[in-house]
Structure formats: structure tokens, C-alpha cells
């Protein structure tokens, strides 16, 4: 089926990729085979085609042999298609006259029989050589990039990205679903391994966000819709009612003192339920923005309408507005950074550790608040009945590295357990037992911190804890929590009586991760974390152009890694903004208007909302900027009116013919 066109001159190149391909595929045999196929003028193999010498080899041949089609058999096009397209274009040939064949992921990596793998490589190469003859010269189009940026999530990642972009002179919209920014870091007492005060590090940055002229901070808000494409997104943000006029509240807290509830009686979310708050409250003293809010689920005014509204009467700035409704904002931005974070593992899913059953079994986050000077006990470590513990057990890997719960390592649990062991020892002087499977301390200064703990009389017992109970079998165990564990260092099962148990819970994807994924049209990994475009080469990109990810929404990571990734995401956004425009791939679908019957089937099939219907003409049309070239509309068009660049019928059919017919 190849064209009878004497002007077709194909250059074929196969890459050894070290032993990745050459270890399984006989690349010399494939090279010799390709040389005998029609229109192949040059056929070569090279150890690393993606290297500079490999690319220069292609460019030299294009000029010397006047080649007008190129086929490269190597790794995934996702990794290096752009590399070879660029090399082709540098030699003066339209880059879309190049076709890649993936003989690494599709062949050498998935087969062990060298003869059969070589035969398969020949089939794939033959198909590409048949197809490339039908390639057409295409041109990329460009669209302008709106310089404004939206960041979703106000934890340390979002704060870092926002300040980086704002300091570069870009307008930033920072959207946070909670009433204050700060994220989980705002709840920590100290950070490992330097034991810096978390608040001392974080709160200046929170204030900088609030006061920066280039940052618009929308806390207590959520994104409800996103439309558009890279460089030109329209984002709808819903601001939940605080029942307080933000601009008028100065955070004097007079309203909280005047509340009809003389004593706080509702669960304080910031202190993990270890203290109480009133219906009108502020999350914590350093909250940003420092604006109170009303919880309508507990406020008597909203529940019965019979409250005297003493809080509003105490406000001398008339900041109360009990009739406030959700406010919808629409903004246009060019790029978006998602930094929506994680959620801690729920230890109720591991009932054998007794969380919720025994009052003195705590999560690590609850202990963070307990040892915090601004926490519910002013930093005094006491059990729920007010006694000072004499012995404390810290159980690692709760909800991590476990077939029953989560298989992945949460990366931070070992280090924050060591930090809590140090702080608990410092605050209470109790005997501290660490129960661990492996000790993982790979960061800068982390191993040294581990060594420091070894010299602080903290006990380390290697072995997965089987259960926590209160079943005493001796007088020494009465009134204690019993940790039963196999000590694999000495090969015996031990029962350790303690007064308090700390569960070092792992990290999971945020509970709203799937909703966010759908709104922003990005992908998630099997675990549910947001999926990066490439784990090594594009760790902050998503498969949706112009949308980047940073922090623990991509996977478990500590504060330094989150900050570094936030900087990388901000840099990628800046690169797009400063370029001023972005090039669009031309492999988009298009409609032959005369053939369109106006059935609109394609509109419902398009996952990118790229197709609209012109009622006046009774025809559909495709927005090339929104089209991602998935081909769904082409397959669904009953009247044969939709085609796709780089995937024309003759290209597809000739490729199929090449695979089937030698």
C-alpha cells in the first residue's frame, strides 16, 4: 500500500538504548531488514540515538541523502518524540515527517525470546515505514498565555509557589478550602531534623501571603469549575459564607468572648478534637486571614433563630452578616498549580491498635498538638485523665507498608516518630519505646538525627506490633496498655506495658482528590495521588498542559521536598508565562463542514469539551486549542465528517497493512 512516489526517501534509525533494546532485539538484523524495505534510502543503528551524536547523524543524513521521511525505532515517544522531531526540524525537514517506533516498552522490555522479539521489532518497523510515506507537513499553532496564576491549596507548598510567583511580579490567586492557610504544618510543634519551631518558620510566610500586593487570598473557598486550555483557563471559585464581612473584621475576638455559650463545647478541629471551641471561632491565634467565622451547624441563631446575637452586638465594626450566601467568583488565568496535600491515615481501619477503644491511644497528629506550647495542654504531656505518662510506645508504619491497608511507604513516619520520641522525652521524661519494621532516614541530616536519638535513652524494638490491648496477665500490667510485638532482634514475643500509645499514621491521598481530578481533568495513580507526566523528567507536570502539581498531593513527601517541588512548579509556570505563548500540537481533529449532518453525537463523546454546535449553520465545530487529539470524535462520527491530523485513514490503514503483510 505504500505510495508509488519516487520522491519518497526514508531514513531508518534504530537505537541500542544500551542493553535496554540491544539485549533482547538483534538491532543489526533489524537494520539490515529495514534497508531492504521500499523507499528506505538509509538504514543505521546507533548505541544512543537520543544523544547529540545520534541526532547529528540523522541531520547529516537528511542533508546528504536528501531524505524526506524519518523513522526512529527506540523508546517511548512520550520520552523522546520531541527530541527526534527537533533534530528533524533542525535539518530543514518538517518535523511531522518523523515517525517513532517504540521497540523498548512494547518489545524488548516485555519479551525474553530474542528471536521472537527481533521478529516483532521488524513488524513494528515495517508498519512505521509503510505509514510514514503518507505523512503530511503540519505546522504548530500558538496561543497567548495569560500571565495570571491560580494555586489551589494553601499549605507550605501552595504558600511557597504563591510567594515565588508573586515576587516575580505575577498576579496569583491562592484558593484554600479551610478558613486559614498553613495546612498541616501549622499544627506541628517542631520540624525534623533541625527541631526548628514550625510556627516560627511558617507564620512569617503566611503573613507575607496575606500582605503581598500580587496575591489575592481566597480562604474558605473551593474551585467548582474549570474551562479552557493551557494559557487561557477560566476558573469558577465558590466562596463559602463565614457570616463575617472579611474586610471589616480585625480579629479582636470580642465576639467570641460575647458568645451566648460561656464555655466552649464543640470539637476544635485544629486541636484534633483535644479541646473545644465555640460556634463563633477562629481556627488558631496565627490564622491567616485573622478573621472569625461562624459554624452554622452549632450556632443557635442558625439552628433555632432564637439567639440574642450577643456576638454581633459586641462587634463595634458591624462585621456580622447572618444573611451571607455563597459567593461565586470567575477569574481567567494562564496556568494552575495544584497543591492540595494529603490526609492522614484513619487508624480506625486498624482496630487491632485500639484507637477509639482505649482513650490513651493517640495519633501522631494529636501528639503534635499535645506537645505544642499553643496546644490544648500548653505543651504538657498528659493522658486523657490528666496523668503524666511514665512510659510511651510509638508504633511505626500504621497504615503504611501494609497489605491490609496501604502498601506504600509514607516516607515521613520514621522521621516524625523520632522527632516525637525526642519531644515526648523532653516534655515528660517518660520511657519511650519505638516499634519499627525498618528505619528509613534518607534525607539530609536525617541519619544524624537517628543517631542522636540512639544516645537519648530511647528504646528501639524491631518488629511489627501485633496488637494493643489492656488484657493484663500480671500485676505489673494492670491499668496499662499492653503492646504485643515479636522482637525480631532477639527472636521472642514481648509484652510491653505503657501508659500511652502513639500511632505513627501514614499519608493518603486527600479525600477530595478524585473530585479535584475530575474538575481539572488530570489523572491519578493507582494509589489515588495525582499523577505526574513523568516520574523523573516531568515530576511537576500533569498530562493536562498548563496544570502543575506540588507537594503531597503527588505522593508522600516531607517539608523540604514539598518546598522544592513547589519551587519547581512555580518555575515551570513562569517559563510558560514569560514565553508569552504556547505552541499547540497539530494532531487535532477537524470537521469537513459540508459532510457534517449536525447530529451532535461527537459533542457528547468529547472528554475535553472541545466541540460546540453552531445552531445557525446546524454544524459542529472543533476548538483546536481544546482538542487533545484523542480521536474519540473521529470514531463516533457516523457521517464521516471528522478527521484527525497525523491519524488520517490512509496513514492508519497503511500502518495496519504494514504490520500484517510482509
Amino acid at each position: 500500500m505504500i505510495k508509488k512516489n519516487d520522491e519518497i526517501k526514508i531514513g531508518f534509525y534504530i537505537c541500542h538504548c544500551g542493553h535496554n533494546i540491544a539485549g533482547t532485539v538483534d538491532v543489526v538484523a533489524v537494520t539490515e531488514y529495514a534497508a531492504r524495505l521500499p523507499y528506505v534510502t538509509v538504514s543505521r543503528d546507533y548505541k544512543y540515538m537520543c544523544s547529540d551524536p545520534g541526532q547529528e547523524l540523522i541531520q547529516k543524513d537528511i542533508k546528504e541523502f536528501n531524505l524526506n521521511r524519518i523513522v526512529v525505532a527506540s523508546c517511548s515517544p512520550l520520552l523522546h518524540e520531541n527530541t527526534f522531531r527537533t533534530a528533524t526540524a533542525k535539518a530543514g525537514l518538517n518535523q511531522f515527517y518523523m515517525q517513532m517506533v517504540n521497540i523498548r516498552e512494547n518489545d524488548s522490555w516485555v519479551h525474553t525470546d530474542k528471536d521472537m522479539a527481533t521478529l516483532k521489532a521488524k513488524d513494528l518497523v515495517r508498519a512505521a515505514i509503510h505509514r510514514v510515506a503518507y505523512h503530511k507537513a503540519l505546522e504548530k499553532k500558538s496561543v497567548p498565555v495569560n500571565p495570571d496564576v491560580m494555586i489551589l491549596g494553601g499549605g507550605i507548598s501552595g504558600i511557597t509557589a504563591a510567594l515565588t510567583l508573586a515576587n516575580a511580579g505575577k498576579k496569583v490567586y491562592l484558593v484554600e478550602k479551610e478558613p486559614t492557610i498553613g495546612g498541616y504544618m501549622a499544627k506541628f510543634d517542631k520540624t525534623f531534623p533541625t527541631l526548628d519551631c514550625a510556627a516560627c518558620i511558617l507564620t512569617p510566610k503566611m503573613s507575607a501571603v496575606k500582605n503581598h500586593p500580587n496575591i489575592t487570598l481566597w480562604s474558605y473557598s473551593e474551585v467548582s469549575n474549570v474551562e479552557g486550555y493551557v494559557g487561557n483557563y477560566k476558573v469558577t471559585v465558590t466562596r463559602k459564607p463565614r457570616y463575617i464581612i472579611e474586610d471589616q473584621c480585625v480579629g479582636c475576638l470580642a465576639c467570641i468572648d460575647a458568645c451566648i455559650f460561656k464555655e466552649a463545647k464543640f470539637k476544635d478541629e485544629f486541636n484534633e478534637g483535644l479541646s473545644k471551641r465555640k460556634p463563633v471561632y477562629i481556627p488558631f491565634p496565627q490564622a491567616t486571614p485573622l478573621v472569625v467565622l461562624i459554624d452554622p451547624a452549632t450556632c443557635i441563631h442558625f439552628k433555632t433563630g432564637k439567639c440574642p446575637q450577643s456576638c454581633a452586638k459586641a462587634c463595634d465594626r458591624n462585621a456580622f452578616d447572618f444573611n451571607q450566601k455563597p459567593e461565586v467568583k470567575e477569574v481567567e488565568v494562564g496556568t494552575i498549580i495544584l497543591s492540595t496535600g494529603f490526609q492522614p491515615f484513619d487508624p480506625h481501619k486498624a482496630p487491632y491498635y485500639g484507637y477509639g477503644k482505649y482513650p490513651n491511644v493517640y495519633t501522631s497528629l494529636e501528639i503534635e498538638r499535645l506537645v505544642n506550647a499553643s496546644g490544648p495542654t500548653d505543651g504538657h504531656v498528659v493522658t486523657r485523665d490528666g496523668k503524666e505518662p511514665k512510659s510511651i510506645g510509638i508504633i511505626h508504619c500504621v497504615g503504611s507498608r501494609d497489605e491490609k491497608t496501604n502498601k506504600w511507604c509514607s516516607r515521613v513516619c520514621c522521621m516524625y516518630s523520632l522527632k516525637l520520641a525526642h519531644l515526648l522525652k523532653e516534655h515528660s521524661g517518660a520511657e519511650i519505646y519505638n516499634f519499627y519494621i525498618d528505619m528509613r532516614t534518607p534525607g539530609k541530616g536525617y541519619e544524624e538525627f537517628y543517631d542522636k536519638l540512639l544516645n537519648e535513652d530511647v528504646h528501639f524494638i524491631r518488629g511489627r506490633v501485633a496488637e494493643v490491648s489492656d488484657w493484663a496477665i500480671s500485676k505489673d500490667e494492670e491499668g496499662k496498655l499492653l503492646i504485643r510485638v515479636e522482637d525480631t532482634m532477639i527472636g521472642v514475643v514481648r509484652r510491653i506495658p505503657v501508659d500511652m500509645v502513639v500511632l505513627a499514621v501514614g499519608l493518603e491521598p486527600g479525600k477530595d482528590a478524585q473530585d479535584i481530578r475530575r474538575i481539572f481533568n488530570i489523572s491519578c495513580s493507582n494509589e489515588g495521588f495525582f499523577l505526574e507526566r513523568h516520574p523523573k523528567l516531568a515530576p511537576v507536570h500533569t498530562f493536562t498542559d498548563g496544570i502543575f502539581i506540588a507537594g503531597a498531593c503527588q505522593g508522600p513527601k516531607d517539608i523540604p521536598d514539598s518546598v522544592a517541588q513547589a519551587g519547581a512548579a512555580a518555575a515551570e509556570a513562569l517559563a510558560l508565562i514569560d514565553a508569552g505563548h504556547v505552541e499547540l500540537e497539530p494532531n487535532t481533529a477537524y470537521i469537513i463542514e459540508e459532510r457534517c449532518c449536525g447530529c451532535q453525537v461527537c459533542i457528547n463523546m468529547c472528554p475535553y469539551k472541545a466541540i460546540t454546535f453552531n445552531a445557525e449553520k446546524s454544524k459542529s465545530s472543533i476548538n483546536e486549542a481544546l482538542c487533545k487529539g484523542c480521536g474519540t470524535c473521529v470514531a463516533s462520527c457516523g457521517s464521516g465528517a471528522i478527521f484527525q491530523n497525523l491519524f488520517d485513514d490512509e496513514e492508519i490503514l497503511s500502518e495496519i497493512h504494514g504490520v500484517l503483510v510482509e
Side-chain angles (χ1 to χ4, degrees), residues 3-17:
K3 276 186 175 179
K4 301 287 185 187
N5 187 341
D6 291 336
E7 294 184 354
I8 299 292
K9 291 185 175 181
I10 300 174
F12 171 74
Y13 302 88
I14 184 169
C15 179
H16 292 229
C17 200

Side-chain angles (χ1 to χ4, degrees), residues 302-379:
F302 289 96
K303 292 177 72 176
T304 67
K306 297 178 180 177
C307 179
Q309 300 182 2
S310 52
C311 53
K313 292 172 183 172
C315 180
D316 58 4
R317 300 178 67 87
N318 295 320
F320 278 72
D321 180 4
F322 289 101
N323 297 317
Q324 229 175 42
K325 302 293 182 190
E327 187 181 2
V328 176
K329 300 271 190 182
E330 274 193 357
V331 292
E332 294 183 353
V333 297
T335 52
I336 297 169
I337 296 175
L338 302 179
S339 56
T340 51
F342 65 96
Q343 66 175 358
F345 173 76
D346 178 4
H348 289 97
K349 297 176 184 174
Y352 32 90
Y353 291 144
Y355 184 76
K357 181 178 180 182
Y358 304 115
N360 291 325
V361 177
Y362 293 80
T363 67
S364 44
L365 210 51
E366 288 171 338
I367 296 298
E368 291 279 1
R369 298 306 304 152
L370 212 56
V371 298
N372 197 306
S374 63
T377 58
D378 298 328

